[in-house]
Amino acid sequence: MAVDLLLGLQWGDEGKGKIVDVLTQNYDIIARFQGGPNAGHTLEFDGIKHVLHTIPSGIFHKGAINIVGNGVVIDPVIFQKELDNLEKFNLDIPSILLISRKAHLILPTHRLLDAASEASKGKAKIGSTLKGIGPTYMDKTGRNGMRIGDLEFSDWKEKYRNLADKHEAMINFYDVDIQYDLKELEEDFFKAVETLKKLTFIDSEEYLFNAQREGKKILAEGAQGSLLDIDFGTYPFVTSSNTTAAGACTGLGVAPNKIGDVKGIFKAYTTRVGSGPFPTELFDEDGAIMAKVGNEFGATTGRARRCGWLDLVALKYAVQINGVTELMMMKGDVLSGFKTLKVCTAYEYKGKTITHFPYNIEEESVTPIYSEMDGWAEDLTKMSSSDQLPETLNKYIDFLEKELEVPIKIVSVGPDRTQTIYR
Ligand code: GDP
Ligand code: IMO
Ligand code: MG
């Protein structure tokens, strides 16, 4: 049985949480493959709005097993808060939430190092969520990290101390003014680790291998978006993991020839939170409308998201890198009321018109070239089938499908589970 993937094609916050929740009814297992609590995945159903950071978005479906894969980095303190927030749902967490022994731990000092690194960069800061993601993946690739499996051995606190002491020396090296009380942070950390240790740790690659053999249906849930990928994103303004399809193979131990559908998700416009280039960003009334109607505030940090028109050059690039087989378009409802819509179909770059995503897309080097299309005035949020969609929206969708050469299978018209139209 193949493993299907669902991943974001832009700069994150495309609506992955909502769609994974919607799709879980078709799957036995949902497995997160990278990122950490920098992610904020929002689900809405039965009048409840819920934000998940590390826990996969299939957690609310009876019968589904949720796996936090080896490619994920886990902050026990945030994880505990996520578990606390789930208490009211009466879920049998140890039997439905399984954690890879090979997932790495975010220590309190990783968060401090993140803050120190950002402070030292001044204006050139990445705009990190400051959850310790970069420093934790640095320790992973530097072969110094601590893993979930280490917690099963009696010497884990010694390992912790050695690494935290090293981090303290590194924080001092940065020569920036970071105020912290490590004793207090460690108290929270040790307490949260004890909660974490009550959960079920597994060799997730083995578990998933056996599940595939047994014919279980598996969906791999991505975090962030393709343009934040450590290799293919807008480096250095990226996150520290492979957010693209290949990341699911390394982040879960799934062989490339076992990947099935690659479901790519994008907003009908574009947003970005944090620093870095964004060619179609709007600084006018149109951008302000998208931000307001789309309620574009980060689910993890609450920061305002930057907004702009859909960028097809970037989207095509993401479709290619991921081998997307089907698309999902989110937040079409937010564009209702725009008389004219713009879609960037090429860039002007060094005096030439290009349609590929170049090495450097700094604002000064890339000017978007737009196609204009008629908008729609209708409120989409109450629509439930594709034959209700306005003609101009169908034209917008047809145009994108032709450009991207991949079918758009789902059109989302609101944050709720039910506001989902299949095509
Ligand atoms: P994720 O990180 O990809 O899971 O996305 P986020 O949860 O960070 O951000 C997406 C936001 O858009 C959330 O507040 C969702 O509730 C909301 N959302 C998702 N789909 C739609 C949609 O089709 N229309 C509207 N208006 N909001 C949506
Ligand atoms: P979800 O899964 C949007 C951005 C940060 C920053 C950069 C690096 O909800 O789509 P990091 O904390 O990883 O060091 O930050 O990446 N970023 C996200 N933006 N959605 C996310 O996740 C993000 N996770 C990280 O804003 O620009
Ligand atoms: Mg998000």
Side-chain angles (χ1 to χ4, degrees):
M1 202 73 191
V3 176
D4 294 340
L5 310 186
L6 181 128
L7 31 85
L9 298 179
Q10 295 162 316
W11 279 288
D13 302 331
E14 296 88 352
K16 297 174 292 292
K18 168 184 164 158
I19 288 298
V20 170
D21 173 56
V22 166
L23 295 178
T24 302
Q25 57 182 331
N26 307 325
Y27 290 93
D28 302 302
I29 298 171
I30 307 297
R32 252 290 286 277
F33 62 85
Q34 45 69 233
N38 48 348
H41 295 180
T42 314
L43 292 72
E44 280 192 46
F45 54 91
D46 302 340
I48 296 168
K49 179 174 164 170
H50 200 90
V51 180
L52 295 164
H53 301 287
T54 326
I55 295 174
S57 303
I59 198 74
F60 294 106
H61 281 265
K62 286 232 156 18
I65 298 290
N66 289 263
I67 294 178
V68 179
N70 58 281
V72 177
V73 291
I74 299 174
D75 183 332
V77 178
I78 296 179
F79 206 86
Q80 171 156 27
K81 282 191 192 132
E82 287 192 69
L83 292 173
D84 291 347
N85 289 338
L86 287 177
E87 245 170 35
K88 57 178 175 286
F89 296 96
N90 278 325
L91 305 168
D92 180 17
I93 292 293
S95 67
I96 61 167
L97 180 60
L98 315 177
I99 303 176
S100 167
R101 289 197 173 88
K102 294 193 175 76
H104 277 246
L105 281 166
I106 302 177
L107 311 190
T109 41
H110 281 129
R111 267 185 276 136
L112 298 172
L113 276 169
D114 215 354
S117 166
E118 283 287 76
S120 74
K121 285 185 166 133
K123 274 201 176 129
K125 71 174 183 183
I126 307 297
S128 162
T129 60
L130 302 179
K131 303 294 178 197
I133 305 298
T136 305
Y137 279 113
M138 278 164 73
D139 271 340
K140 175 179 176 174
T141 50
R143 297 159 297 179
N144 299 310
M146 276 190 75
R147 301 189 288 177
I148 287 288
D150 291 338
L151 300 175
E152 294 177 314
F153 292 84
S154 56
D155 66 345
W156 76 267
K157 278 200 177 163
E158 236 168 89
K159 266 194 185 155
Y160 168 83
R161 190 74 272 144
N162 286 340
L163 191 52
D165 286 350
K166 191 173 131 198
H167 288 162
E168 271 215 285
M170 288 163 74
I171 294 163
N172 292 333
F173 166 82
Y174 273 109
D175 195 24
V176 290
D177 187 23
I178 300 280
Q179 303 290 330
Y180 62 91
D181 179 344
L182 189 54
K183 280 256 154 5
E184 203 176 297
L185 295 173
E186 284 181 342
E187 229 169 79
D188 290 346
F189 178 76
F190 291 135
K191 222 165 83 193
V193 165
E194 291 312 313
T195 306
L196 199 59
K197 282 167 78 175
K198 292 191 187 116
L199 300 188
T200 312
F201 300 165
I202 58 164
D203 297 325
S204 57
E205 62 284 9
E206 182 70 15
Y207 184 98
L208 288 169
F209 181 70
N210 290 332
Q212 286 171 68
R213 276 194 153 171
E214 288 162 19
K216 294 262 165 43
K217 295 193 76 184
I218 304 166
L219 179 68
E221 174 178 0
Q224 288 80 54
S226 302
L227 303 176
L228 289 171
D229 182 277
I230 182 71
D231 283 282
F232 299 106
T234 46
Y235 193 89
F237 301 100
V238 293
T239 190
S240 299
S241 61
N242 281 116
T243 59
T244 45
C249 296
T250 54
L252 293 174
V254 172
N257 64 342
K258 296 293 189 301
I259 300 295
D261 299 341
V262 181
K263 299 169 193 292
I265 172 167
F266 68 100
K267 279 179 187 164
Y269 49 101
T270 310
T271 64
R272 172 163 208 172
V273 60
S275 327
F278 179 0
T280 61
E281 183 170 12
L282 291 168
F283 301 94
D284 60 6
E285 184 59 20
D286 288 343
I289 292 171
M290 290 172 191
K292 185 157 184 279
V293 180
N295 192 24
E296 295 295 356
F297 294 94
T300 293
T301 58
R303 290 177 294 175
R305 296 181 185 138
R306 301 150 65 191
C307 296
W309 297 115
L310 189 62
D311 183 343
L312 270 186
V313 178
L315 197 53
K316 253 186 213 171
Y317 170 73
V319 165
Q320 275 171 18
I321 298 266
N322 291 303
V324 171
T325 58
E326 55 188 73
L327 287 161
M328 285 147 200
M329 188 176 89
M330 312 300 285
K331 295 193 133 178
D333 55 298
V334 175
L335 295 184
S336 289
F338 280 99
K339 222 171 155 7
T340 306
L341 300 174
K342 289 186 183 177
V343 178
C344 168
T345 48
Y347 295 148
E348 193 184 304
Y349 180 68
K350 295 183 179 168
K352 284 197 184 123
T353 299
I354 59 163
T355 52
H356 71 275
F357 201 69
Y359 178 75
N360 175 10
I361 65 155
E362 287 301 324
E363 272 88 330
E364 336 49 284
S365 65
V366 163
T367 310
I369 300 171
Y370 290 107
S371 289
E372 294 200 352
M373 308 194 63
D374 290 337
W376 50 91
E378 294 86 342
D379 173 10
L380 310 181
T381 58
K382 307 251 164 7
M383 295 183 182
S384 54
S385 73
S386 67
D387 53 15
Q388 294 172 307
L389 297 177
E391 188 52 36
T392 42
L393 172 55
N394 281 326
K395 279 197 179 140
Y396 191 75
I397 292 170
D398 289 347
F399 177 73
L400 300 185
E401 284 186 327
K402 217 166 125 218
E403 288 283 321
L404 298 168
E405 299 177 71
V406 181
I408 297 178
K409 294 280 198 175
I410 287 181
V411 177
S412 173
V413 292
D416 194 84
R417 237 184 217 173
T418 57
Q419 292 170 302
T420 309
I421 295 177
Y422 295 87
R423 299 176 74 246

